[in-house]
Amino acid sequence: MDEAGDAAASPASAVGVVPVTDPDDARLADYRALTDVALRTQWEPPHGLFIAEGELVLRRALRAGFAPRSYLIERDRAAALAPQLPGAPVYAASPEVLQHTTGFHVHRGVLASFHRRPLPEVAELLATARRVVVCEDINNHTNLGAIFRSVAGLGADAVLLSPSCADPLYRRSVRVSMGEVFAVPYARLEPWPAGLARVAQAGFTVLALTPAADAVPLDRLTTADRARPALLLGAEGAGLSAAALAVADRRVAIPMQGGVDSLNVAAAAAVACWELARST
């Protein structure tokens, strides 16, 4: 077969698919060095974008109404997926080009860049939610993604983030949440921690999750405490700050056994969300 015949048979030459062979191609700028957290933090929010990894996450972003900027698909999958991908160019590349561009082996073979949307106002979320989760200084993207997945699956309605929390739309957070971060409304709560007063003024009981000795076991909360709870979570290891604890209505704990004082914050969020939803 001649060179023209090879090109015609290649999935990357299908209609609607743009072959890319150079990892330094300017059209792939959105996907550059995806494992470099500092670089991505400087690139993604200022440019109003986020990256979805994997077909499931990509489809959930589309379902949630996010507008695509572009798609980057492993060339053997590109022709089959392209007709299903609306609104943006589909770039097809070899596994080697994908790895050189992104900095890791893209074993799912599917990436997409999406436009961000403006965050809702805190007052808007508080007016429509019954249960919220509030995160202070949670900078581990894996934990944050897992918290969003628990919130989506266990009955909370929204997430409020302190100014120093990690970006929920960072690729690792999105992936760990299985795209559920797109289904959960969230906003930044400022100033911190004084902004917690706004949560209380909206009719929520702020429940600070802590292993402190004076904390009330979650299963002993009153009906009034459970009516509109705002579950306050601190960073792994450090826990909640003294300032945040000081403005909480209640200190609450998950009863532990075997000499273990606490759970990983993502696991604790799941247990606490389940308990607070169970009573309603």
Side-chain angles (χ1 to χ4, degrees):
M1 184 178 293
D2 60 21
E3 185 176 346
D6 280 335
S10 168
S13 65
V15 174
V17 176
V18 181
V20 178
T21 58
D22 181 1
D24 294 322
D25 192 307
R27 293 172 295 183
L28 304 187
D30 284 0
Y31 306 96
R32 197 87 61 217
L34 292 184
T35 59
D36 188 327
V37 177
L39 178 62
R40 299 310 302 182
T41 299
Q42 295 170 13
W43 176 265
E44 292 185 12
H47 286 78
L49 68 96
F50 69 89
I51 299 297
E53 179 187 354
E55 186 175 351
L56 183 148
V57 172
L58 182 158
R59 292 189 185 281
R60 287 185 173 172
L62 290 171
R63 185 177 66 193
F66 286 94
R69 290 163 60 101
S70 67
Y71 307 94
L72 178 58
I73 313 292
E74 199 277 318
R75 65 187 178 192
D76 290 337
R77 302 189 62 189
L81 284 178
Q84 307 170 42
L85 302 177
V90 178
Y91 300 122
S94 68
E96 293 76 20
V97 170
L98 286 175
Q99 183 164 351
H100 279 93
T101 300
T102 65
F104 70 102
H105 174 63
V106 187
H107 65 276
R108 294 174 178 85
V110 176
L111 295 165
S113 174
F114 284 90
H115 292 281
R116 291 176 181 245
R117 296 192 297 231
L119 294 181
E121 296 293 330
V122 170
E124 175 188 342
L125 295 188
L126 294 177
T128 57
R130 183 179 177 190
R131 285 184 293 270
V132 299
V133 169
V134 187
C135 298
E136 180 185 45
D137 297 347
I138 295 181
N139 290 308
N140 182 291
H141 293 98
T142 298
N143 283 337
L144 192 61
I147 289 169
F148 269 84
R149 190 173 182 185
S150 293
V151 166
L154 295 171
D157 303 307
V159 175
L160 299 177
L161 304 171
S162 73
S164 58
C165 273
D167 177 12
L169 293 183
Y170 180 69
R171 177 181 58 90
R172 189 176 302 132
S173 294
V174 172
R175 186 184 68 216
V176 171
S177 80
M178 295 297 289
E180 296 298 344
V181 67
F182 307 137
V184 177
Y186 69 92
R188 297 278 176 179
L189 183 59
E190 299 180 277
W192 185 266
L196 287 168
R198 299 174 61 190
V199 181
Q201 290 164 4
F204 289 86
T205 301
V206 180
L207 304 175
L209 194 62
T210 171
D214 61 347
V216 177
L218 273 170
D219 57 355
R220 297 184 189 173
L221 287 174
T222 67
T223 301
D225 289 336
R226 295 168 179 267
R228 293 189 77 196
L231 181 66
L232 181 56
L233 304 172
E236 189 74 19
L240 288 166
S241 67
L245 285 168
V247 297
D249 296 300
R250 302 281 185 278
R251 297 186 182 196
V252 298
I254 297 169
M256 305 296 294
Q257 300 181 31
V260 178
D261 69 343
S262 63
L263 299 174
N264 162 274
V265 64
V271 172
C273 284
W274 180 86
E275 171 61 28
L276 293 172
R278 181 184 66 83
S279 61
T280 59

